[in-house]
Amino acid sequence: MALEAELSCPVCTDVFRDPVLLSCGHSFCRQCINDHWTSSSSRNCPVCRQVSPQEPVHNLCLRNTCETYLREQSTRKEREEEHECQIHGERIELFCQTDEEAICAACKKHEHKWHKTQKLQQAVRQRKEKLKAAVRPAEKTLWSLQNGAAQDAKICNYNQSQVQQTERRIKEEFKKLQQFLKKEEESRLAALNEEEKEKRAKMEKRTKGRIRSLSVRLREVEERMKEDDVTFLQNYNSTMNRAKYTLPDAELSSETAIDVSKHLGNLKYRVWEKMKDICPYYPVILNPHTAPPDISVSDDLTSVTSCFRQQDKPFPLHSNRMVLGSVGYDSGTHTWEIEVGNSRHWTLGVCFRSDGKPSVQPLTPKNNWGLRRDGYMYSFLSTPTKFKIKTNPEVVQMRLEDDYDVMGRWQRKVSFFDARSNSEFVRITGVPAGKELFPFVIPEDQSVPLRVVPVPAKITLAGEQVEQKISFQERYKGLIDICCWFVIVVFVILSWKTDRHDK
């Protein structure tokens, strides 16, 4: 109200309308001062009685202030009208904590009589404090994003370091390929030049022989021409024949020409065959993002070693010590070999991966199927029971393939072989199908790494497709075996009853 008094005209006591300023410094509504001067004999100020000979001027600042005040008053009045109870028409001043609803005093007496209530301002203050507390993490995140301290920046920095390391590794690999190709090019050119040198030496030797033969013959003819007349005439015909005889010209043949087909035929293929020695193919490539800090992954992503090495990762992607393969298998037969060497502590198997994430799940029988070696004892991940095997393989071959239960339902199985003897020593059946399974390794000996063994590269012709067809007998093998055994048992029982009846 004090503000409204300051913004009121001294004559009409209402908020200024079109205020004007007199020379004495007092302000009035234009209509009010004009009416005052009309009824008065002098142009004096109604407040200080000072005469104002000049015409009053617009008080723009005061007019804007009054208009703003009137708008705020109108808005406040509308807001107060909106905050009236729709049922009782009273001002809403309470808050029902039971129903989470703003109410008036009449509502408190009737509909919310037994409910817990509090003053509206208190409820607003409490909830504003809770809201401020709730937005603090968002404010902190915003500050981190604005100042480059958020996880996003750490991820970007980590990705940048990975790009640099990967770029360096790619350059090193291509440098090796370039060196190999350069060396192979020099070797091929050297072989070509060597053949040319040999052919040139043979031609030079042949040419020297021809020169020597012709020189001897010409000397013989010259000596015959120096003989006496009778002897010359007697030997004329034979001498003429020797003089007419010439050596045949050299012909271009496989012995004299460069064997171009030997140097150019399937050149790229033969070079590729030699490149296989320096370009091995690994059926499993490990995913470094799934490796915990105490497991080191090699630069070519094919071997892991147990060691403590703090890696600069922005966030943990692992929940245990396993390292996953980068590609999963959903159907078909897939084979890979892991060199375990003389390590006595390792775990190999397959597992499900978290949907859409590179992280792995905790080891449980529901999402992991594998074999663990602990000293000279082995055990499955699904059971603590330990057992021994006859030989301890240095290279373990794992085979993931489709399988079918006795009812013909599709499932998977994982087999473990000694790669050196190609003998199976462990098999895990009943693995769920229909979802990708990822190979995993867990190294536990710090001195012995686990390595993926490369396999010979195979050439597949364009458009060639290999289909794996499963016969009816293979699919329902278990059910057929059960039926056969049932028939045999029935036959034995019937035979036994027949023999007993005869006796």
Side-chain angles (χ1 to χ4, degrees):
M1 297 299 294
L3 178 60
E4 184 174 352
E6 294 294 331
L7 298 178
S8 299
C9 174
V11 177
C12 64
T13 67
D14 290 333
V15 178
F16 287 106
R17 294 188 296 274
D18 191 14
V20 292
L21 182 64
L22 303 185
S23 57
C24 62
H26 294 105
S27 297
F28 304 91
C29 298
R30 177 178 293 278
Q31 186 62 38
C32 293
I33 193 64
N34 288 337
D35 293 344
H36 175 73
W37 284 347
T38 302
S39 61
S40 176
S41 58
S42 62
R43 296 169 60 90
N44 59 347
C45 172
V47 177
C48 63
R49 301 301 178 178
Q50 183 178 344
V51 178
S52 298
Q54 295 87 6
E55 286 295 326
V57 296
H58 291 283
N59 195 338
L60 298 178
C61 181
L62 182 58
R63 185 184 68 179
N64 294 337
T65 303
C66 292
E67 291 177 352
T68 302
Y69 175 77
L70 291 174
R71 282 197 300 270
E72 291 179 352
Q73 289 293 98
S74 176
T75 303
R76 186 179 298 108
K77 185 176 181 181
E78 293 176 357
R79 192 176 302 164
E80 290 177 354
E81 291 177 355
E82 290 177 356
H83 291 166
E84 290 181 354
C85 179
Q86 300 295 327
I87 300 175
H88 305 98
E90 295 185 9
R91 182 178 176 83
I92 297 177
E93 296 179 344
L94 299 174
F95 181 77
C96 177
Q97 294 177 299
T98 304
D99 293 339
E100 294 285 330
E101 181 182 355
I103 62 176
C104 67
C107 294
K108 168 64 176 174
K109 294 180 180 179
H110 300 90
E111 293 85 354
H112 303 266
K113 183 176 182 180
W114 305 107
H115 293 178
K116 186 177 180 180
T117 60
Q118 62 181 151
K119 292 184 178 181
L120 186 65
Q121 293 80 1
Q122 183 181 2
V124 171
R125 183 172 63 255
Q126 291 178 351
R127 280 155 180 76
K128 284 185 177 180
E129 291 175 356
K130 291 182 180 180
L131 187 59
K132 289 179 181 179
V135 300
R136 283 195 190 102
E139 292 174 348
K140 186 177 180 181
T141 302
L142 177 61
W143 181 89
S144 299
L145 291 171
Q146 292 174 342
N147 294 274
Q151 197 79 330
D152 302 54
K154 294 181 181 179
I155 295 175
C156 290
N157 293 334
Y158 176 69
N159 288 341
Q160 187 176 3
S161 66
Q162 278 201 316
V163 168
Q164 294 174 354
Q165 295 175 6
T166 306
E167 182 179 354
R168 174 184 57 79
R169 186 62 184 167
I170 289 174
K171 290 182 178 179
E172 291 177 357
E173 294 297 327
F174 272 93
K175 187 176 181 180
K176 292 180 182 178
L177 294 176
Q178 292 167 359
Q179 290 175 349
F180 168 82
L181 291 175
K182 183 65 177 177
K183 185 177 180 180
E184 189 66 20
E185 178 187 5
E186 294 174 353
S187 174
R188 301 285 174 174
L189 293 177
L192 177 63
N193 293 329
E194 183 65 22
E195 182 180 357
E196 189 274 334
K197 184 178 179 181
E198 292 177 0
K199 296 291 176 70
R200 185 173 66 249
K202 290 181 180 180
M203 291 301 298
E204 290 176 353
K205 183 178 180 181
R206 181 175 180 177
T207 300
K208 289 179 181 179
R210 290 164 58 89
I211 291 174
R212 186 166 49 253
S213 176
L214 290 174
S215 298
V216 170
R217 188 169 297 146
L218 289 175
R219 281 197 302 271
E220 290 179 356
V221 172
E222 290 177 356
E223 291 175 356
R224 294 286 178 88
M225 292 177 66
K226 293 179 181 179
E227 294 177 348
D228 57 86
D229 296 343
V230 176
T231 304
F232 171 76
L233 291 175
Q234 290 177 348
N235 298 326
Y236 173 76
N237 291 332
S238 61
T239 302
M240 177 60 72
N241 290 333
R242 291 186 63 82
K244 289 181 178 180
Y245 179 78
T246 58
L247 296 175
D249 293 333
E251 295 181 356
L252 187 63
S253 64
S254 58
E255 296 182 358
T256 59
I258 299 296
D259 191 356
V260 178
S261 60
K262 182 182 72 173
H263 299 283
L264 291 181
N266 286 326
L267 175 60
K268 290 183 284 187
Y269 174 80
R270 288 186 285 121
V271 172
W272 175 79
E273 277 192 319
K274 295 185 68 175
M275 286 183 69
K276 289 189 295 184
D277 297 333
I278 67 168
C279 302
Y281 172 76
Y282 295 92
V284 173
I285 298 298
L286 302 175
N287 186 348
H289 293 307
T290 61
D294 59 342
I295 291 184
S296 173
V297 183
S298 62
D299 289 340
D300 58 359
L301 309 180
T302 60
S303 68
V304 291
T305 307
S306 177
C307 65
F308 185 79
R309 186 187 70 179
Q310 187 64 33
Q311 298 180 355
D312 184 20
K313 291 186 178 180
F315 44 83
L317 295 175
H318 54 86
S319 56
N320 47 52
R321 303 185 69 255
M322 65 168 57
V323 181
L324 267 64
S326 59
V327 177
Y329 309 118
D330 56 358
S331 63
T333 301
H334 306 276
T335 304
W336 63 93
E337 295 179 357
I338 304 295
E339 181 183 350
V340 298
N342 58 359
S343 173
R344 297 181 181 179
H345 302 277
W346 46 260
T347 304
L348 305 176
V350 294
C351 68
F352 292 146
R353 193 181 71 168
S354 299
D355 295 336
K357 298 180 180 179
S359 60
V360 296
Q361 300 175 351
L363 287 173
T364 65
K366 294 183 179 180
N367 57 25
N368 294 270
W369 298 266
L371 178 69
R372 184 173 187 267
R373 179 180 180 182
D374 187 9
Y376 291 100
M377 302 300 293
Y378 293 81
S379 63
F380 295 113
L381 296 181
S382 57
T383 174
T385 304
K386 294 186 178 183
F387 56 90
K388 287 186 178 181
I389 61 176
K390 294 181 179 180
T391 60
N392 295 307
E394 295 184 356
V395 178
V396 179
Q397 182 187 95
M398 296 181 60
R399 185 178 301 167
L400 175 64
E401 52 190 334
D402 295 336
D403 193 21
Y404 295 87
D405 60 12
V406 295
M407 301 304 296
R409 289 173 298 199
W410 178 38
Q411 58 184 14
R412 314 288 294 280
K413 66 179 178 180
V414 185
S415 305
F416 295 82
F417 294 81
D418 185 343
R420 301 292 167 83
S421 61
N422 196 28
S423 58
E424 182 183 32
F425 59 88
V426 166
R427 178 184 297 179
I428 302 175
T429 59
V431 180
K435 190 175 180 181
E436 286 188 338
L437 287 168
F438 288 77
F440 74 83
V441 297
I442 302 179
E444 299 181 27
D445 279 341
Q446 293 189 3
S447 59
V448 184
L450 303 183
R451 296 188 179 93
V452 181
V453 179
V455 298
K458 297 180 181 180
I459 299 178
T460 302
L461 300 177
E464 181 180 355
Q465 294 182 350
V466 179
E467 296 183 357
Q468 187 178 18
K469 297 183 178 180
I470 301 176
S471 64
F472 177 84
Q473 291 84 356
E474 291 175 341
R475 173 168 292 187
Y476 297 98
K477 181 177 182 301
L479 187 60
I480 294 175
D481 291 342
I482 292 176
C483 293
C484 292
W485 279 107
F486 179 77
V487 172
I488 293 173
V489 171
V490 172
F491 178 76
V492 170
I493 294 174
L494 292 176
S495 299
W496 177 76
K497 288 185 176 181
T498 304
D499 294 341
R500 186 177 178 181
H501 178 73
D502 293 339
K503 291 179 180 181

